[in-house]
Amino acid sequence: MERKVAVFRREHFNAAHRLNNPGWDDATNSKVFGKCNLPHYHGHNYELIVKLTGVPDPETGYVMDMKVLSDLVREKVIEKFDHRNLNLDTAEFKDLNPTAENIAIVIYDILRPAIDSKFDLKVTLYETPRNFVEYPA
Ligand code: NI
């Protein structure tokens, strides 16, 4: 019987963003996004949790070497987003509203091709200690 185990790696990055729909007027953007629409951006301390699910390797006992996973997340995600303005500094959010939902989807799409397809992958992203999202749902 194959017994699957979930392993988790937590990483952290700081980034600035502004929520805005360019198809709406200023009043509508302000009404929908509130302070998150303020024109001069604001920052968040994002907590990222990457979850991998798979069967431990019979030789190592690992689902995946956590050092390898940590290096991957840092290289592909943290280096890209940490201390950046998501709207201005990253191609991913040039035309995509950088909500926590969309950031989680973007991070999943970056990591998925880099992780063996035998593993299930889930991304959890905390925008604040009380607000967080999960993808895939
Ligand atoms: Ni915000």
Side-chain angles (χ1 to χ4, degrees), residues 89-103:
D89 300 336
T90 71
E92 286 80 359
F93 299 104
K94 192 169 175 293
D95 300 308
L96 180 67
N97 213 16
T99 58
E101 291 88 333
N102 282 332
I103 298 168

Side-chain angles (χ1 to χ4, degrees), residues 43-94:
H44 290 284
N45 295 312
Y46 290 98
E47 288 287 335
L48 169 65
I49 298 168
V50 175
K51 175 186 180 185
L52 286 192
T53 307
V55 179
D57 181 280
E59 293 191 311
T60 64
Y62 290 156
V63 172
M64 184 175 180
D65 185 327
M66 296 303 266
K67 176 73 167 70
V68 173
L69 178 60
S70 170
D71 287 348
L72 186 71
V73 174
R74 285 166 174 274
E75 175 196 328
K76 301 256 182 207
V77 177
I78 306 303
E79 284 295 316
K80 189 187 241 327
F81 295 139
D82 190 36
H83 284 69
R84 299 306 197 290
N85 179 311
L86 298 177
N87 303 74
L88 301 180
D89 300 336
T90 71
E92 286 80 359
F93 299 104
K94 192 169 175 293

Side-chain angles (χ1 to χ4, degrees), residues 8-21:
F8 301 78
R9 177 70 194 180
R10 178 190 287 261
E11 299 287 349
H12 175 84
F13 62 97
N14 302 312
H17 75 167
R18 179 195 186 206
L19 302 185
N20 186 65
N21 182 333

Side-chain angles (χ1 to χ4, degrees), residues 113-131:
I115 291 172
D116 195 312
S117 61
K118 70 184 178 185
F119 299 126
D120 293 326
L121 171 65
K122 185 162 276 195
V123 168
T124 302
L125 185 72
Y126 282 77
E127 189 169 76
T128 73
R130 292 172 186 272
N131 292 341

